[in-house]
Amino acid sequence: LRVPNNQTIWNSFVERYRPMIVSFGIRLGLGQADAEDAAQQALIAFCSAYTEGKYQREQGRLRTWLFGIAKRQILNYRRQGRRREVQVADSPSETNFFDRRPDDDRMEQLWDEEWRNAVLKQCLQEVRRDFDAKSMEAFELFAHQGWPAAKVAEHLQMTSNAVFIAKHRIMKRIRELLPQMEEIW
């Protein structure tokens, strides 16, 4: 990342973190367009600061530093949006920015959730390479969508036991990959 013109690395970085920042912005109350813009600004600010050598590994993880940058950009967009809105309030607290702004702990919790979801999504992409499409579909329907095993088995023309085995094997592989992905991310 220290080489600003290494497009392959920077594109990979943006592909990894942009969706996470956009989702974080939406969860903090931005609309889709503003969340996209805030993510773009956060990534530009990150790139500039990183290539200038402002990130210090000994002061914390890269994702924590990125969180601070993303949080500032998102809050800036929220403030700009509030200035553009014409608000008619029923009570004074409805117009108080601080009443509507999540506290730092809540924002950090939301960031951690977004990060964890992104890591799990990456694990699932890796796992898809290791398993056949039918096993993955059984896993998705049973583990993610909550279908009963019998319904999944009937839908995919397999046994209920095969559904349980697919879930078990895929979950085992995800647990193996998770520490590696967390370290990379």
Side-chain angles (χ1 to χ4, degrees), residues 31-46:
Q32 182 71 36
D34 282 344
E36 295 278 347
D37 290 345
Q40 184 70 22
Q41 291 303 313
L43 290 167
I44 290 168
F46 174 89

Side-chain angles (χ1 to χ4, degrees), residues 38-121:
Q40 184 70 22
Q41 291 303 313
L43 290 167
I44 290 168
F46 174 89
C47 177
S48 297
Y50 192 88
T51 55
E52 291 170 10
K54 292 181 180 176
Y55 170 66
Q56 302 298 319
R57 172 74 170 134
E58 59 276 357
Q59 291 181 354
R61 296 191 65 135
L62 187 71
R63 72 180 165 113
T64 304
W65 193 54
L66 180 58
F67 162 69
I69 294 169
K71 179 176 83 169
R72 279 191 302 278
Q73 290 299 326
I74 290 165
L75 291 177
N76 285 341
Y77 270 82
R78 282 178 51 138
R79 279 190 290 273
Q80 290 169 6
R82 299 263 186 260
R83 279 188 233 126
R84 289 189 304 258
E85 292 175 3
V86 176
Q87 296 184 348
V88 177
D90 293 332
S91 69
S93 67
E94 286 182 27
T95 59
N96 186 341
F97 170 78
F98 295 103
D99 289 344
R100 291 181 298 219
R101 181 179 177 261
D103 64 26
D104 285 342
D105 290 341
R106 179 67 180 141
M107 284 188 281
E108 191 169 345
Q109 178 187 3
L110 292 174
W111 178 258
D112 288 344
E113 287 172 11
E114 289 301 327
W115 176 80
R116 183 79 169 167
N117 288 340
V119 170
L120 287 172
K121 187 176 179 180

Side-chain angles (χ1 to χ4, degrees), residues 1 6 68:
L1 288 177
N6 187 338

Side-chain angles (χ1 to χ4, degrees), residues 1-13 47 51:
L1 288 177
R2 292 214 188 271
V3 180
N5 59 358
N6 187 338
Q7 290 300 312
T8 304
I9 297 298
W10 279 104
N11 287 342
S12 176
F13 180 83
C47 177
T51 55

